[in-house]
Amino acid sequence: MPSVDNNASPPSTKKPLYEASTQFKNWRYSPDHLAHIRSTLNEAAVGVIRKTFEAYEPGSSSNVSFVTADEEHLLVTFYIHKIGQLCGHFRFPEEVEATAASYLKRFYLKNTVMDWHPKNVMLTALFLATKTTNNPISLDAYTSHIPNTIASDVLDLEFLVAQSLRFEFAVWHAHRALWGIWLDIQNLPNTPPDFAKTESAIYDSALTHVRAARLTDAEFIYTPSQIALACISLVAPDLANQWLESKENTPIPESRVDIPPRPSSTAISASLEAIRNMITNSGKVPHVEAVREVDKRLKLCKNPEKVVGTKAYLARKAEAEKKAEEKRNKKVEGQKANDRDPFGQELGEPAAKPGLVDYDDESDDE
Amino acid sequence: MDAVERENSDRQKSWAKEQKVGEGTYAVVYRGREVSTGRRVAIKKIKVGQFKDGLDMSAIREVKYLRELKHQNVIELLDVFSSKTNLNLVLEFLDSDLEMIIKDRSLVFLPADIKSWMAMTFRGLEFCHRNFVLHRGFKMTCQVITPVLRWYRPPELLFGSRFYSSAVDIWSVGCIFAELMLRTPYLAGESDMDQLKTIFRALGTPTEQEWPGHTKLPDYVPVGQFPKTPLRDLFTAASADTLNLLSKCLLYEPRKRLSASEVCGCCSYGSPLYIIPISSPFRYPSHPSKLPKCSTQMAPRPLEEVDGNVDMAGTGPGVKAAAPSKVKLKRKLTSPADESRTRSIARKLDFTKQVNSP
């Protein structure tokens, strides 16, 4: 019974799924923008920490050699690599590893290593990723396999990590795109039927490049499919071209107004070239000595307010407690005012305004 | 205070909780407003502190998928923030649901109304399926206790199938479609076994030909032989087109069941197969603003509890989603004056309730 849907939604609502994602909307940057975010974040952190040092011991910050934005980035990259090692140990699927790596990278676009050491954040990011990708394991099992780690090390940072991610847990990955392109390639007219078997080394090497790309900023700048195609082109440039041509030669039906115009092939080649360079130049695990050097200096310049037991930490904690106490007192006062007469107010007396519900209402937290 | 914490607290301050409208062990739901605009919202506070593994899976699923899904027929997640050990979801305010409307005997449904509700449901569902999200837990409301869910459960899940598809949602929508016409639940079994019996009694015991391989499903048990009775016998007032659509949502073989995109004609190729049946004089569906609405006031109701039936390790075929929930259909208020006495009708798929299925 063909008929016209008079309530049909306009075609504009059917943009590509990726373009509707939070990743597309909120986590894409230009290389300059990324550099700017990191340097601003680093400067602000240094400013705050210097002030804290001075407040407790005037002159004490002058000899401190704070870590730079580049050094912060180096440290984070090292811990992305560590995530890979941990995932191998737990035999977590690729999706968990890729997601945890994205979480860690995104976290450090909002936070500094001088406040939160990536060694700790990594554990929380990975545990969160097991849950968001539907591969959960119990916290006990998780911590018991990681030396010197207890449950609170993981859980204490969970809200902070989730907040830093803006509670946007879904991540689109290049390894998925690689799989899609690999399937496409097997469907090309000239591909022999046993191609996937005989040429599986192409896929394996491309996947190695995808993993190397995880150590770079590629995912902040390019789409998962661009990264995947660049990785194939590193291994088998002709194959990548064939796939690209097959896409270019497929006509878009006029009815498909939802498909955006294709980028020019020069634009695509330029992106692919840039990604290849990125993978070759920065897709490497930082040298342990370099990491050690940064970590050593980090010990001396980390935010004392975040280091348990320091004067600054205790002062900050006392301040927070004082505020909470004041709030509680206020609340008790408010209740007292409401409790004056069990039979209600006198006529003519202004009725107490029904207050807004307190988010931190203790009675709700049981 | 760190920048991230400050941002969180700013978010928190932009929403005001007003009145508690529901409570369960897992969450508390408040009615609230956006401070800057006065817009009505629902705020669902999920208690996280009690979970030894931190943020729990159902909260995470809910947030993960609702963050990505934006569609006029899917409930909108406006914001997320944390307070102490609680996770707060700010949701579009839907103050009535299909169950209340069905139960309100003073309301008369025109075929065009049902068509309109079904069209909204199918559109929301088509969008979810296109995003590889299975709804997997249709209900008429959030507030009904868990067993109700069984009534909308397709036979392949009752037989323990571990690999299922978007077709499970189509079965559920078929049951709701039938319920809208009957004004009473269509396939209301009292246990899982009775549910199968009820289904077979209504639609006939499936043959191997109708549903190849079903006797090999993990939990298959023979539940007796029942003859097929024509839908026409029960749905006496429905048009032929209507029954045709209904029967194709309630096919035993999941692969033969209609897909949401076939129904909506939103699929990329060709014209729609089935628009919600059109039979004169109701050629067009009711406009949302003209849909029946309840006149009763909203009172706090207990929230549904987690039924502990969630399979954390289970994975579907490429689809891992399982946002919990129900169908809610809503319409916009025609004027602010209505607001005090009448309630709008949801036209959204609401993923926010704690339902765990299959």
Side-chain angles (χ1 to χ4, degrees), chain B residues 19-23 27-31 42-44 303 353:
Chain B
Q19 185 198 345
K20 196 184 277 190
V21 290
E23 176 156 22
V28 184
V29 178
Y30 299 89
R31 208 157 56 188
I43 299 172
K44 179 172 173 180
L303 288 180
K353 295 309 168 208

Side-chain angles (χ1 to χ4, degrees), chain A residues 75-362:
Chain A
L75 202 59
V76 173
T77 308
F78 180 75
Y79 282 96
I80 294 169
H81 164 66
K82 280 273 177 202
I83 286 177
Q85 289 183 331
L86 267 177
C87 288
H89 176 76
F90 282 105
R91 295 173 190 274
F92 286 146
E94 189 91 27
E95 199 191 356
V96 173
E97 179 178 341
T99 303
S102 296
Y103 287 177
L104 195 68
K105 288 182 191 177
R106 291 180 183 187
F107 181 90
Y108 286 107
L109 293 184
K110 308 258 176 138
N111 300 279
T112 164
V113 303
M114 289 178 272
D115 279 350
W116 311 105
H117 199 290
K119 168 176 71 193
N120 305 110
V121 178
M122 165 194 75
L123 295 178
T124 306
L126 178 55
F127 186 65
L128 187 60
T130 63
K131 295 191 277 184
T132 59
T133 59
N134 203 21
N135 293 286
I137 71 168
S138 82
L139 187 56
D140 286 344
Y142 183 70
T143 51
S144 65
H145 284 88
I146 305 170
N148 308 321
T149 305
I150 55 168
S152 64
D153 294 338
V154 178
L155 289 193
D156 286 354
L157 295 182
E158 195 171 43
F159 263 153
L160 182 76
V161 172
Q163 284 165 4
S164 302
L165 301 173
R166 306 165 42 105
F167 296 95
E168 291 165 356
F169 298 136
V171 184
W172 293 61
H173 296 299
H175 73 268
R176 294 283 298 160
L178 175 66
W179 181 244
I181 296 175
W182 186 243
L183 294 179
D184 270 0
I185 288 174
Q186 292 169 48
N187 266 332
L188 292 178
N190 300 331
T191 311
D194 56 351
F195 176 83
K197 232 183 227 161
T198 55
E199 303 295 330
S200 65
I202 297 179
Y203 176 79
D204 294 341
S205 325
L207 185 59
T208 313
H209 289 303
V210 164
R211 288 175 181 150
R214 245 172 243 156
L215 299 168
T216 73
D217 284 333
E219 68 183 271
F220 287 135
I221 303 165
Y222 302 99
T223 67
S225 51
Q226 286 171 335
I227 298 170
L229 188 59
C231 290
I232 294 181
S233 74
L234 275 168
V235 185
D238 292 345
L239 212 54
N241 277 332
Q242 273 177 42
W243 181 83
L244 208 49
E245 274 166 25
S246 79
K247 290 283 163 194
E248 278 164 0
N249 295 335
T250 317
I252 303 178
E254 273 179 37
S255 58
R256 296 296 305 272
V257 282
D258 53 308
I259 296 182
R262 290 182 179 127
S264 71
S265 46
T266 27
I268 295 177
S269 321
S271 299
L272 294 182
E273 182 61 25
I275 299 168
R276 282 193 296 263
N277 285 336
M278 209 172 219
I279 293 172
T280 327
N281 299 332
S282 4
K284 297 181 200 134
V285 184
H287 287 297
V288 182
E289 295 82 50
V291 173
R292 230 175 248 152
E293 209 282 316
V294 174
D295 204 30
K296 213 165 83 192
R297 279 181 27 235
L298 179 58
K299 283 202 178 72
L300 303 172
C301 70
K302 62 186 167 186
N303 190 347
E305 286 189 344
K306 310 278 187 199
V307 182
V308 180
T310 61
K311 266 191 218 161
Y313 175 85
L314 295 173
R316 188 183 148 108
K317 221 176 151 193
E319 180 68 19
E321 263 162 32
K322 201 174 128 201
K323 268 196 188 140
E325 176 74 29
E326 272 167 17
K327 204 171 165 185
R328 268 196 297 275
N329 289 341
K330 233 190 215 165
K331 207 159 152 185
V332 172
E333 287 296 314
Q335 268 165 4
K336 268 186 197 152
N338 281 343
D339 290 348
R340 254 178 304 178
D341 185 346
F343 299 104
Q345 277 97 9
E346 291 283 330
L347 285 175
E349 192 177 330
K353 251 185 153 177
L356 296 180
V357 182
D358 189 346
Y359 284 96
D360 295 339
D361 194 342
E362 308 272 348

Side-chain angles (χ1 to χ4, degrees), chain B residues 43-62:
Chain B
I43 299 172
K44 179 172 173 180
K45 186 168 91 175
I46 301 171
K47 302 163 188 174
V48 176
Q50 60 186 329
F51 297 112
K52 73 169 184 49
D53 290 340
L55 283 167
D56 77 300
M57 290 297 291
S58 37
I60 280 180
R61 282 199 190 107
E62 189 171 330

